[in-house]
Amino acid sequence: MKFFIDTANLAQIREAKDLGVLDGVTTNPSLMAKEGITGTDNILKHYKEICKIVETGDVSAEVISTDFEGMVEEGKILAEIDENIVVKVPMTKDGIKAISWFTANGIRTNCTLVFSAGQAILAAKAGATYLSPFVGRIDDIGWDGMQLIEDIAHIYAIQDYDTMILAASIRNPLHIVKAAQAGAHVVTCPLDSILGLLNHPLTDIGLAKFLADHKKANG
Ligand code: E4P
C-alpha cells in the first residue's frame, strides 16, 4: 500500500519525505486555504513546489469548477504544472464526464468525495486513476467507512478494474492499518497519523532496558 500525505503544508511534506516512506501528496481546496495559498498564480506555484519536494510521487490538485468545460480547462492547466500532477475531480455528473475526457486525453485523475460503491463503479468505468472514498467522514455520521473500502476492493478485484483505491479522510493510525487490511492501494493521511504508527509502549520500555543494560555492562 502506498503512503500519501494529505496536506498542502510544505514543512509536513518535507518531514514525511525525509522519513523515506512518502509516495505522494493529496490536497484539496480546504487544505490549500488553510495554508493561506490564494489566487491562481500562487496556487499553481504552490503545486509546483510540492511536486519538487515529492520528486517522483503523484500530487493531486483539485479543480474548483463544477461544470464540465471549466473542469477540463482547469485540469489541462493543472496537468501542465508537472508530469506527476493528478487532476482531482469531484464525484458529480459533470465530474464523471470530465474524468472520461481526461482519460481519453491521457490526463490522470483522482475522483474525490466518494461515499458509495455505486459511485466507485462509475468512476472506474470513466477510467479514474485513483478513487478517494472518505473513510473518516463516513465514520463521523455513524456509518462504517472501512466497510466501504472493503466493498470497493472486492468489486474492483472481481471486475478487474484498474482504478486504484485511495483511502482518504483518514483520522488515526488504526485507520491506516485497517485500510491496508481492507485492500486499499493507497492511503492518504495527516502527518500525525503516519507518525502515530511508530508508537508502542513496549518499544519504549524495551529500548530503555537495552540502553540501561548496555550502560551497566560498559560503564
Ligand atoms: C483527500 O484527498 C481528501 O480531500 C481528504 O482526505 C479529506 O479529509 P477530511 O475528511 O479530513 O477533510
Side-chain angles (χ1 to χ4, degrees):
M1 184 175 73
K2 287 190 173 179
F3 267 42
F4 287 4
I5 190 168
D6 195 23
T7 184
N9 182 286
L10 300 182
Q12 291 188 10
I13 295 169
R14 276 193 201 99
E15 191 174 337
K17 175 75 181 170
D18 288 348
L19 270 179
V21 300
L22 187 67
D23 298 305
V25 174
T26 52
T27 62
N28 62 38
S30 305
L31 293 171
M32 293 292 275
K34 193 172 159 196
E35 298 308 316
I37 316 297
T38 54
T40 308
D41 283 357
N42 289 333
I43 289 172
L44 298 182
K45 263 190 230 154
H46 198 75
Y47 284 137
K48 200 161 187 58
E49 196 58 37
I50 292 175
C51 290
K52 231 161 72 187
I53 298 170
V54 185
E55 292 174 353
T56 53
D58 285 345
V59 175
S60 286
E62 189 160 342
V63 297
I64 306 298
S65 303
T66 53
D67 63 300
F68 168 74
E69 287 81 8
M71 286 180 187
V72 165
E73 282 320 304
E74 248 188 88
K76 284 196 280 191
I77 293 167
L78 291 170
E80 271 170 22
I81 299 174
D82 190 282
E83 62 180 6
N84 292 323
I85 287 282
V86 173
V87 180
K88 205 171 174 193
V89 181
M91 165 47 74
T92 60
K93 191 175 175 191
D94 280 49
I96 286 297
K97 206 172 146 188
I99 290 170
S100 301
W101 189 92
F102 288 129
T103 305
N105 287 275
I107 293 176
R108 296 179 308 138
T109 54
N110 174 355
C111 182
T112 190
L113 290 166
V114 171
F115 295 94
S116 78
Q119 292 177 327
I121 291 171
L122 209 49
K125 290 291 292 175
T129 314
Y130 295 102
L131 178 92
S132 290
F134 279 28
V135 173
R137 291 194 197 186
I138 296 176
D139 288 356
D140 289 346
I141 60 159
W143 292 22
D144 185 352
M146 214 47 79
Q147 184 60 53
L148 178 61
I149 302 289
E150 268 182 48
D151 292 347
I152 298 170
H154 177 68
I155 293 167
Y156 278 16
I158 60 177
Q159 295 296 332
D160 207 17
Y161 289 141
D162 292 332
T163 300
M164 286 176 277
I165 303 165
L166 193 169
S169 187
I170 293 296
R171 304 268 196 257
N172 54 56
L174 189 57
H175 268 161
I176 300 176
V177 175
K178 295 275 180 198
Q181 285 172 336
H185 303 95
V186 188
V187 67
T188 188
C189 21
L191 181 62
D192 281 357
S193 300
I194 299 175
L195 296 179
L197 292 172
L198 291 165
N199 300 333
H200 198 289
L202 291 180
T203 304
D204 301 338
I205 293 166
L207 182 59
K209 172 103 172 66
F210 286 157
L211 295 179
D213 288 347
H214 176 81
K215 199 170 169 192
K216 217 186 300 170
N218 294 273

